[in-house]
């Protein structure tokens, strides 16, 4: 979705014309349930399951688990497009991801939707906007025929941290927005999500000015944990709540014309528990729209 067409809606005005619905994509892990690396055939099985809903996925690192090398031929075979990625946080990860992309992208641009450089690096304070722009520009030079951008938390677009990207000509911006991690009760979660995205878009539009029409802004990650997940204050993990968030928040955002990547496609039971901001152990293994063995959890029609 181009920003210029979305913003009037963000401000709450009626659309001049009915705009096309947004595109649903999925965040996709690069490991099997047992923690082994996915092979091309595993990605193909993933795509077979996702195919009725979507033809677009994003990954997080091109070299981890040889994911770019394995996912690109799978995408080609199954008619999918992929947002490939560079993890720029260290010299080592930047170099191995860009090397992996150099061996995979040329000749396969038709299945590469974009390349993201960084995932929430501004949110973690790992880079300033200027530093991230430099990394993005390095990758742009390597792949002049591919759209290159980044993914970060919605509030880093809203609070000006990402301004150097906008003034620096980056045209692919993914904003992650988890009402769950903001501790929203499910009854208010979709409103929080819309509010987050609106704030991000409004600021990006303001800074971009006339260039806004060239910027693609999409939700990079959103979702809700299902039964077995951890609660986060009033945000309660349950399959029913995940369905509610999907139907109201995600389907609503798509109808509004915004592209959305759902986090995430499949449960990842290999993931270790992490410690959250509140010091509690957080389960990260129940965020899939589908189970680890690719079974439905809830009705996924919009
Ligand atoms: C619901 O979310 C909106 C947007 O973030 C917020 O302004 C409002 O206070 C919330 N309402 C409740 C009852 O939590
Ligand atoms: C430039 C910069 O701050 N890089 C740091 C990003 O974070 C990693 C750890 O996740 C550090 O090792 C880098 O030095």
């Amino acid at each position: 979705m181009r920003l210029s067409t979305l913003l009037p809606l963000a401000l709450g005005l009626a659309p001049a014309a009915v705009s096309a619905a947004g595109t649903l994509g999925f965040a996709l892990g690069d490991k099997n349930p047992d923690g082994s690396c996915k092979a091309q055939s595993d990605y193909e099985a993933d795509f077979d399951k996702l195919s009725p809903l979507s033809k677009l996925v994003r990954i997080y690192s091109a070299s981890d688990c040889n994911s770019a090398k394995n996912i690109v031929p799978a995408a080609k075979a199954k008619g999918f497009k992929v947002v490939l990625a560079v993890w720029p946080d260290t010299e080592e990860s930047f170099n191995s991801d860009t090397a992996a992309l150099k061996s995979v992208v040329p000749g396969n641009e038709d299945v590469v939707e974009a390349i993201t450089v960084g995932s929430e690096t501004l949110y973690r304070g790992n880079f300033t906007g200027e530093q991230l722009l430099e990394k993005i520009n390095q990758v742009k030079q390597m792949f002049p025929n591919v759209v290159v951008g980044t993914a970060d938390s919605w509030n880093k677009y809203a609070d000006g941290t990402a301004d150097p990207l906008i003034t620096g000509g980056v045209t692919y911006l993914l904003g992650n927005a988890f009402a769950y991690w903001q501790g929203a009760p499910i009854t208010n979660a979709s409103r929080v999500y819309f509010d987050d995205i609106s704030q991000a878009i409004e600021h990006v539009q303001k800074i971009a000015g006339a260039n806004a029409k060239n910027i693609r802004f999409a939700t990079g990650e959103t979702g809700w944990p299902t039964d077995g997940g951890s609660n986060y204050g009033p945000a309660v993990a349950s399959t029913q709540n995940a369905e509610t968030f999907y139907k109201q928040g995600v389907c609503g955002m798509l109808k509004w014309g915004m592209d959305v990547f759902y986090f995430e496609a499949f449960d990842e039971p290999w993931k270790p528990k992490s410690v959250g901001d509140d010091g509690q152990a957080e389960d990260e293994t129940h965020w899939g729209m589908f189970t680890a063995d690719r079974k439905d959890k809830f009705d996924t029609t919009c």
Side-chain angles (χ1 to χ4, degrees), residues 185 188 191-192 195-196:
N188 203 35
R191 175 152 173 221
V192 169
D195 203 52
D196 293 348

Side-chain angles (χ1 to χ4, degrees), residues 18 22 45 119 198 212 247 253 269 271 274:
V18 177
S119 174
S198 299
K247 299 249 178 198
M253 197 60 79
K271 279 190 176 175
S274 65

Side-chain angles (χ1 to χ4, degrees), residues 87-91 121 124-128 131 135:
W87 194 262
D89 298 35
T90 67
E91 265 319 291
T121 59
R124 290 195 304 274
N126 200 272
F127 293 120
T128 64
Q131 288 168 334
K135 297 285 174 190

Side-chain angles (χ1 to χ4, degrees), residues 11-258:
L11 294 175
L13 305 176
V18 177
S19 55
T23 300
L24 177 66
F26 283 91
L28 189 61
D30 61 12
K31 294 184 176 63
N32 291 308
D34 65 3
S36 63
C37 289
K38 282 182 185 172
Q40 181 182 334
S41 57
D42 299 309
Y43 287 116
E44 287 181 6
D46 287 349
F47 291 155
D48 284 340
K49 178 63 189 177
L50 298 176
S51 190
L53 282 176
S54 172
K55 300 274 189 257
L56 178 66
V57 296
R58 59 176 294 226
I59 61 169
Y60 292 85
S61 154
S63 64
D64 189 55
C65 277
N66 277 324
S67 57
K69 182 171 170 276
N70 291 326
I71 200 170
V72 162
K76 218 160 222 190
K78 299 294 180 179
F80 268 65
K81 287 203 171 197
V82 186
V83 178
L84 297 171
V86 174
W87 194 262
D89 298 35
T90 67
E91 265 319 291
E92 195 190 2
S93 63
F94 182 85
N95 290 339
S96 48
D97 280 348
T98 50
L101 291 177
K102 280 177 187 164
S103 73
V104 170
V105 171
N108 290 310
E109 286 86 350
D110 55 324
V111 297
V112 180
E113 174 83 357
I115 296 169
T116 54
V117 180
S119 174
E120 300 190 347
T121 59
L122 301 178
Y123 177 73
R124 290 195 304 274
N126 200 272
F127 293 120
T128 64
E130 286 85 358
Q131 288 168 334
L132 181 58
L133 176 64
E134 203 181 303
K135 297 285 174 190
I136 292 171
N137 283 340
Q138 281 180 46
V139 177
K140 266 190 182 173
Q141 277 181 2
M142 295 174 192
F143 306 99
N145 301 322
V146 178
V147 174
V148 181
T150 193
D152 221 297
S153 183
W154 68 272
N155 56 324
K156 296 290 112 185
Y157 296 107
D159 72 7
T161 310
D163 284 2
L165 308 183
I166 300 157
T167 54
V170 180
T171 56
Y172 188 73
L173 301 173
L174 301 182
N176 302 347
F178 288 97
Y180 167 87
W181 290 118
Q182 291 165 264
I186 189 63
T187 46
N188 203 35
S190 298
R191 175 152 173 221
V192 169
Y193 173 40
F194 269 75
D195 203 52
D196 293 348
I197 294 294
S198 299
Q199 285 182 50
I201 291 172
E202 257 180 81
H203 186 83
V204 172
Q205 170 94 1
K206 193 177 94 190
I207 299 302
N211 188 41
K213 64 179 185 309
N214 301 317
I215 295 179
R216 279 167 69 194
F217 188 95
T219 297
E221 294 180 358
T222 196
W224 197 274
T226 55
D227 290 348
S230 311
N231 300 335
Y232 194 77
V236 174
S238 86
T239 303
Q240 196 183 342
N241 286 350
E243 178 170 354
T244 299
F245 184 74
Y246 176 72
K247 299 249 178 198
Q248 293 177 357
V250 176
C251 294
M253 197 60 79
L254 292 168
K255 280 179 191 142
W256 194 34
M258 160 80 66

